[in-house]
């Protein structure tokens, strides 16, 4: 039981920190560069939109990996694992926006489950491809607890004035 909780927290921490960091960075850095360079896809809509910046992506990977360095010292996760989880998180978040734009949703529009899970699913997928060893219980628990945690933390970020949408 104690081992399970440690494993859940060790895997979740880099993902959650990587996912949350761009919100803070976007508040501080006013001049950001969209990953898609402002370009449009064949459907005429933005490839990703202004909500996905290079600064946000890089800071997310860096912050998630930094958490991994602390977890590494504590002996609960290797820094490389945190790097893979953080990179997967930001790629998943970016993929989520690509899908939202293809569905015709504007930047910041809510996309239930996609907004809350795309980052985690790609992070776990990449982790499994690189390291393996994710068991069904840990994976299921992360997928179940992440949407409510994401909704709660986004609402708190909204109340703190960090975000202009409560989701
Ligand atoms: N952000 C960023 N760069 C990223 C990811 C996020 O700068 N790679 C910042 C943006 O200011 C973004 C905010 O974090 O608006 C919240 O992220 P998210 O909810 O993922 O983006 P949305 O604005 O909702 O855009 P989308 O509809 O594409 O998800
Ligand atoms: Mg959003």
């Amino acid at each position: 039981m104690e081992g399970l909780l440690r494993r859940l927290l060790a895997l979740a921490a880099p993902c959650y920190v990587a996912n949350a960091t761009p919100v803070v960075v976007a508040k501080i850095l006013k001049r950001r560069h969209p990953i898609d360079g402002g370009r449009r896809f064949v459907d005429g809509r933005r490839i990703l939109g202004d909500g996905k910046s290079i600064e946000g992506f890089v800071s997310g990977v860096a912050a998630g990996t930094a958490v991994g360095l602390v977890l590494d010292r504590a002996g609960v996760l290797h820094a490389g694992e945190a790097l893979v989880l953080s990179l997967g998180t930001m790629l998943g978040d970016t993929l989520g926006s690509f899908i939202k734009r293809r569905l015709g949703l504007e930047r910041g529009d809510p996309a239930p489950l996609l907004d809350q899970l795309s980052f985690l699913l790609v992070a776990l997928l990449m982790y499994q491809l690189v390291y393996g060893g994710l068991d069904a219980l840990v994976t299921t628990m992360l997928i179940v607890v992440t949407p409510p945690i994401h909704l709660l933390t986004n609402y708190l970020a909204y109340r703190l004035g960090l975000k202009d949408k409560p989701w």
Side-chain angles (χ1 to χ4, degrees), residues 14-125:
C15 300
Y16 291 3
V17 169
N19 194 242
T21 298
V23 176
V24 181
V25 166
K27 203 68 196 161
I28 300 166
L29 276 185
K30 292 292 163 207
R31 278 176 58 91
R32 299 185 300 279
H33 301 79
I35 296 173
D36 66 10
R39 284 185 289 269
R40 288 169 191 281
F41 196 60
V42 288
D43 55 10
R45 296 180 182 276
R46 285 286 295 277
I47 302 175
L48 300 172
D50 286 332
K52 302 294 116 136
S53 68
I54 295 170
E55 291 81 356
F57 191 104
V58 172
S59 65
V61 175
T65 306
V67 167
L69 293 174
V70 177
L71 295 176
D72 199 325
R73 293 202 69 116
V76 286
L77 194 79
H78 293 296
E81 295 176 88
L83 171 63
V84 168
L85 287 169
S86 305
L87 191 60
T89 290
M90 296 317 300
L91 285 173
D93 176 62
T94 307
L95 174 67
S97 291
F98 178 79
I99 295 171
K100 283 173 75 172
R101 296 304 87 80
R102 305 291 72 76
L103 294 173
L105 296 169
E106 300 294 337
R107 170 200 179 175
D109 281 354
L113 293 180
L114 193 59
D115 280 339
Q116 292 83 31
L117 284 176
S118 65
F119 77 94
L120 178 74
L121 293 179
V122 175
L124 294 179
L125 178 68

